[in-house]
Amino acid sequence: MQVPNQLYIDGEWLEASDGARREVVDPATEEAVDSVPAATGRDLDRALEAADRGWRQWRETDVWSRSATLRRAAGLIRERADRIAEVLTGEQGKTLGEARAETLAAADQFDWYADEARRIYGRVIDGHSRAHRLLVIRQAVGPVAAFSPWNFPALLSSRKIAPALAAGCSLIVKPAIEAPRTVLCVAAACADAGLPPGVLNVVTGDSARISRHLISSDRIRKVSLTGSVPVGQEILRLCADSVKAVSMELGGHSPVLVFEDADVAQAAEVCARGKFRNNGQVCIAASRFFVQEAVYEPFVKRFREVTEALRLGNGRDPGVDIGPLANRRRLEATDRLVRDAVDRGARLVCGGARDASFPRGFFYRPTVLAEVDRSMKIMNEEPFCPVAPIAPFTDLEDGLAKANGTEFGLAGYVFTRNTRTAFLASEGLEAGMVGVNNLVIATAEIPFGGIKKSGFGREGGSEGVEGYTVTKYINLLL
C-alpha cells in the first residue's frame, strides 16, 4: 500500500494550490517522516463544492448500496491494518500493537454502520382523522465538516466518517497535523471501496484557518469535533453565527472509584495498564484514582509495581509497552503538572521526569503521585499524559463528591464486588459512560459521549447515525 500524503478532494489526490507543505514529525525521533499539503482557501472552496455535489448524489443512493460500500471499506482497512499501523505509530508514537488494534477498531465502525445504514427508521402515526396520514422520516443533514484529533486518528475519524456516510451525508475531514496520513489511509480505503467522488474529502494544514473557512460556508450543514474544551468553545462560537448543527466530544478527566470490597491487586493492575495505554493520551483514560481508605496503601503499592515494570521506548520496537508522547507540547505540559503537584505536597511514588536514556523524542517516564488533592492542577485540568494521581476517600458519598468535582463528565469507572455499590456508584457518577470492574468500554456498538464540558451528542451505536440526520414530518391528506 502506498501511503497517501496529498489532499483528497473530489476523488483526486492533489497538492495545495500554492504548493505549500507541512512536515509530519516522528515523536520518537523528532525527525520529519513525511509532509502533507497546507490547503489554501482555493483548495477549501473546491472541497466545499465537491462535498455539496457529492451529497446530492450520495443521498439518492439506496441504502443497500451505501451499506455495501461501507462493508468493502471495512474489509480494505482490515487488509491494510499492518501498514496503516506502521503509519500511525510513525506519526503518533503509540506502539505497533496499539496502532493495529486501533486500525481494526476503525474497521469495526464501518462494519457497524454498514448495518445501521439499512436501519434508519421512520414511523407512521395515527392522527385525529382517517383522512390524514402522519409520517416521520429521517434524511441526511447534508455536507459535514469533521475535525479529528491526533491521539486516535484512525478510530476517531472513522467514528465520524462511517455514520455520516451511512446516513447519506458527504464530509470534509480535517485531521490533526500531527497524524494526517493515517486519516488519508482511511480515505484511500473508502475511495478504493467505490465511494463516489466528492462524498469524502480530506484537507490538511492549519486547523484554525481551515475550521473558520469551512464553518463559515453555507454549504456545511453539520459540524463534528473531537478535541479539547477550548477548541470546542471556539467551534461553538463559529457555528452559532450560522446556526449549524454541532456534535462534540471534548475533554475528559475520568475518575476511578476503588471500593474496599474490590479485588484490590487486580484493580490496581488493570488501572495501571489502562492508565498508561497510549501514554495516557486517551480522552476516556482513567485519570483520577480514588481508593477507599482501608485499601489505599495496598493499591498504591501494586500500582507502582505494575507501572515500574512497563517498558518505555520507540513504539516500533518489540516488547515496548509505552511510546513517546505525541508532541513537545504534551511533554512540557506533563512536566508542569508533575512539578505543580509535588510542590503542593503530593508524594512522588515513581517516575516524575524525562527518561535520560532517550536524548531525543518526547519520552516521559510513567509517573504515579499519591496524596493528591483538589489544589493541584493534575486534579482539575485534563492531563492527557502518563501521570496517575491517587487519593483516598472514606465512603460512597465522599467518593462520589470527589469524583464529580470537575467540569468534565465523559467517563467514570467503579471497582467493587458489591452489586448495590456498583449500581449506586454508576448512577451517581456524573458521566456519559461508566465501566464497572473494567476500563475497556469503547466499542462500535455503544453510544460514546459525555456531559458537562465533555460535550454533547453521541458517536457509535444506533445513536451515532442520528446526529447526521434531520427529522421531517409529513402530513398527508388523502
Side-chain angles (χ1 to χ4, degrees):
M1 182 191 85
Q2 183 175 354
V3 179
N5 63 356
Q6 295 175 295
L7 306 174
Y8 183 63
I9 299 175
D10 205 10
E12 296 184 77
W13 297 101
L14 304 168
E15 293 295 328
S17 58
D18 64 358
R21 296 182 72 85
R22 294 185 60 170
E23 289 186 339
V24 178
V25 174
D26 182 343
T29 64
E30 300 184 54
E31 296 176 354
V33 293
D34 205 340
S35 63
V36 293
T40 66
R42 179 181 172 187
D43 301 322
L44 298 176
D45 286 338
R46 181 173 180 178
L48 286 162
E49 292 171 6
D52 188 59
R53 186 171 60 254
W55 166 56
R56 297 181 191 281
Q57 174 189 357
W58 186 242
R59 67 179 177 177
E60 299 301 326
T61 301
D62 69 90
V63 295
W64 286 86
S65 296
R66 283 188 223 152
S67 175
T69 302
L70 289 167
R71 190 83 70 200
R72 287 193 296 270
L76 289 170
I77 292 170
R78 288 197 179 92
E79 288 177 15
R80 302 169 183 179
D82 289 341
R83 185 69 182 107
I84 295 174
E86 292 173 1
V87 173
L88 206 168
T89 294
E91 61 186 12
Q92 196 275 340
K94 66 181 60 177
T95 65
L96 279 173
E98 288 185 4
R100 191 173 191 278
E102 178 187 339
T103 302
L104 295 176
D108 287 347
Q109 295 290 324
F110 284 89
D111 254 342
W112 176 261
Y113 285 107
D115 292 329
E116 289 299 303
R118 297 174 296 184
R119 294 173 174 81
I120 301 175
Y121 299 123
R123 66 186 189 274
V124 178
I125 306 165
D126 284 339
H128 288 188
S129 165
R130 288 299 300 157
H132 285 83
R133 297 295 184 269
L134 311 181
L135 298 88
V136 178
I137 63 173
R138 301 193 72 89
Q139 295 179 307
V141 65
V144 176
F147 302 92
S148 66
W150 47 259
N151 60 327
F152 286 87
L155 174 58
L156 300 188
S157 63
S158 297
R159 273 194 193 149
K160 303 176 190 303
I161 296 169
L165 294 180
C169 298
S170 61
L171 300 96
I172 302 174
V173 179
K174 166 60 179 70
I177 196 60
E178 287 90 348
R181 298 176 307 154
T182 300
V183 180
L184 290 167
C185 288
V186 173
C190 292
D192 293 342
L195 192 68
V199 179
L200 175 60
N201 308 272
V202 182
V203 295
T204 55
D206 181 79
S207 296
R209 185 170 59 81
I210 290 174
S211 61
R212 286 193 298 268
H213 194 110
L214 295 182
I215 295 172
S216 66
S217 171
D218 290 339
R219 286 191 165 100
I220 294 298
R221 305 286 185 89
K222 153 88 177 184
V223 175
S224 177
L225 167 74
T226 301
S228 67
V229 171
V231 171
Q233 291 169 326
E234 179 60 25
I235 294 293
L236 277 173
R237 283 188 283 268
L238 292 171
C239 289
D241 291 337
S242 50
V243 196
K244 284 183 169 58
V246 187
S247 61
M248 46 183 58
E249 187 258 288
L250 304 178
H253 203 349
S254 304
V256 179
L257 293 174
V258 180
F259 290 88
E260 60 187 10
D261 60 19
D263 183 331
V264 176
Q266 182 184 31
E269 181 164 354
V270 168
C271 287
R273 294 189 181 281
K275 166 60 198 175
F276 297 115
R277 182 172 68 97
N278 197 23
N279 227 339
Q281 299 167 128
V282 183
C283 53
I284 59 169
S287 54
R288 291 176 295 137
F289 299 88
F290 299 103
V291 185
Q292 202 157 14
E293 288 176 338
V295 294
Y296 179 74
E297 287 301 337
F299 181 90
V300 173
K301 180 176 182 292
R302 181 57 184 153
F303 199 109
R304 175 185 59 78
E305 292 171 349
V306 175
T307 300
E308 290 182 331
L310 297 173
R311 182 184 171 196
L312 186 66
N314 190 315
R316 299 181 183 87
D317 295 339
V320 167
D321 299 299
I322 305 176
L325 288 157
N327 53 55
R328 185 169 297 280
R329 298 190 310 277
R330 297 313 318 148
L331 184 67
E332 294 170 350
T334 301
D335 198 56
R336 284 197 300 271
L337 288 172
V338 172
R339 298 279 74 77
D340 172 80
V342 172
D343 289 346
R344 293 175 185 269
R347 171 164 59 99
L348 180 62
V349 177
C350 63
R354 295 193 63 174
D355 195 314
S357 59
F358 298 98
R360 294 183 64 82
F362 310 128
F363 294 96
Y364 199 91
R365 292 167 56 194
T367 299
V368 179
L369 300 170
E371 286 81 74
V372 294
D373 59 47
R374 281 291 304 278
S375 72
M376 303 168 189
K377 292 180 180 178
I378 189 69
M379 297 299 281
N380 300 288
E381 299 178 9
E382 181 180 25
F384 237 57
C385 64
V387 180
I390 309 176
F393 73 90
T394 55
D395 54 20
L396 176 63
E397 182 179 3
D398 180 48
L400 286 174
K402 290 176 176 176
N404 293 334
T406 73
E407 63 186 13
F408 301 103
L410 188 56
Y413 304 95
V414 177
F415 284 83
T416 179
R417 285 183 282 200
N418 184 292
T419 303
R420 180 177 184 276
T421 300
F423 271 104
L424 293 177
S426 298
E427 293 168 356
L429 283 172
E430 295 175 353
M433 301 170 284
V434 177
V436 178
N437 294 326
N438 80 103
L439 305 181
V440 184
I441 61 173
T443 183
E445 59 269 28
I446 59 95
F448 189 103
I451 62 174
K452 300 198 289 189
K453 283 192 177 179
S454 289
F456 48 83
R458 293 296 183 267
E459 295 183 322
S462 57
E463 292 86 353
V465 78
E466 293 175 1
Y468 296 96
T469 65
V470 291
T471 301
K472 179 179 286 185
Y473 153 57
I474 301 170
N475 186 317
L476 178 63
L477 177 62
L478 300 179

